[in-house]
Amino acid sequence: MLLRCAIIDDDRVFTDILAQYISKTDFIELQGVYPDAASALAGIDFNRVDFLFLDVEMPGVSGIEFLESLTVTPPVIFVSRNKEYGADAFDHDSIDYLHKPVPYARFLKAINKAKRFFSGSAKGSTAGDSARIFVRHERMWIRIPVNDILYIKADNNDVVIKTHDKVYRTHSKLRDIYDHLPEERFFQVHRSYIVQLDKIEKVDGEVIEVNARTIPVSKTYLREMYRRLNISA
């Protein structure tokens, strides 16, 4: 799982430390650092950022005011030098609230919360039908039950997620979506397709059928798919 974040904070010393923490953490990628709300609005592509580290106290517009100004509210880890803002932060459904200075161990606790927030459950867990993933669709974060997903298709720079009754399009890479899914339930059958194994209805050589949709299977993945389905090639 790779999570992309941005930092919005006018405290240069703290943002340098936070950037170092992020660089040491293999499942988080820093997209940018912004000292105030105006530069964040101008610089952040919210379709490419999963969550924000957001300072509550900033000159001009506070972090909470900035968040309330957005049409679509991204998930946030609030940071502040004052503990008094904690209640306000959690009123905005934040992932976590960090009180500066932030030790690395406390940072790790917060980003592991973020990881659980986006995956719905740990990858490979036995959460079953309750597992969910978040995707950004039409400028909103949508939580999709994993069990509802039939297949996922790469489409240029987007990923299309098909459920029984809906189609979601999100600006992402196929691999990044795959990393959010329980590995025992999903399998990449082609460079452009991931399928939920128990949704496969028919198998015919290098072709499978999911919900009446014909999907090709690359030779690279064919043997492993047959093994995962417990059928003879």
Side-chain angles (χ1 to χ4, degrees):
M1 176 190 300
L2 179 65
L3 298 177
R4 301 179 181 88
C5 69
I7 301 171
I8 308 174
D9 194 324
D10 63 320
D11 183 342
R12 179 62 183 272
V13 173
F14 175 74
T15 58
D16 286 347
I17 293 171
L18 192 55
Q20 290 178 10
Y21 288 171
I22 292 169
S23 70
K24 295 194 295 184
T25 311
D26 59 5
F27 62 87
I28 294 188
E29 181 179 279
L30 180 60
Q31 298 290 300
V33 180
Y34 305 90
D36 51 45
S39 61
L41 282 173
I44 295 177
D45 179 357
F46 286 94
N47 288 315
R48 300 292 295 168
V49 169
D50 295 308
F51 72 98
L52 304 175
F53 286 97
L54 180 61
D55 188 15
V56 175
E57 302 163 295
M58 294 187 295
V61 177
S62 73
I64 290 174
E65 290 171 335
F66 167 77
L67 200 62
E68 291 175 342
S69 74
L70 300 176
T71 304
V72 178
T73 304
V76 167
I77 295 176
F78 279 109
V79 293
S80 176
R81 291 197 177 277
N82 296 313
K83 294 182 179 180
E84 64 187 82
Y85 295 110
D88 288 338
F90 285 109
D91 281 345
H92 288 77
D93 295 325
S94 61
I95 297 171
D96 206 346
Y97 181 85
L98 299 178
H99 180 228
K100 300 178 185 178
V102 180
Y104 183 59
R106 182 64 183 88
F107 163 82
L108 285 177
K109 183 177 180 180
I111 61 168
N112 278 315
K113 284 186 179 180
K115 191 174 183 180
R116 292 194 298 271
F117 177 87
F118 283 99
S119 65
S121 61
K123 184 176 175 67
S125 75
T126 57
D129 293 348
S130 65
R132 285 165 167 76
I133 61 168
F134 273 95
V135 298
R136 197 174 182 84
H137 171 73
E138 295 180 349
R139 298 189 61 79
M140 292 186 292
W141 286 100
I142 307 294
R143 199 169 193 174
I144 305 174
V146 163
N147 192 55
D148 289 354
I149 298 173
L150 299 172
Y151 61 84
I152 303 161
K153 179 186 177 183
D155 186 13
N156 295 320
N157 293 320
D158 292 342
V159 168
V160 175
I161 301 174
K162 179 69 174 69
T163 67
H164 283 286
D165 56 354
K166 294 183 180 179
V167 177
Y168 302 92
R169 178 178 290 271
T170 185
H171 189 63
S172 183
K173 296 178 181 178
L174 194 67
R175 184 75 226 182
D176 292 343
I177 297 293
Y178 197 18
D179 286 343
H180 286 69
L181 299 169
E183 59 187 359
E184 77 279 4
R185 298 176 65 179
F186 289 83
F187 185 66
Q188 183 167 359
V189 297
H190 186 273
R191 65 182 181 181
S192 298
Y193 283 96
I194 295 166
V195 300
Q196 184 157 192
L197 290 168
D198 64 4
K199 307 296 185 183
I200 296 175
E201 298 164 346
K202 297 179 182 179
V203 179
D204 184 9
E206 297 176 19
V207 174
I208 60 176
E209 189 173 294
V210 178
N211 196 41
R213 170 67 180 255
T214 299
I215 296 174
V217 182
S218 297
K219 290 183 179 179
T220 305
Y221 305 109
L222 192 62
R223 179 175 294 182
E224 178 62 14
M225 184 197 74
Y226 272 70
R227 187 190 71 80
R228 295 279 297 271
L229 293 174
N230 197 30
I231 58 178
S232 301

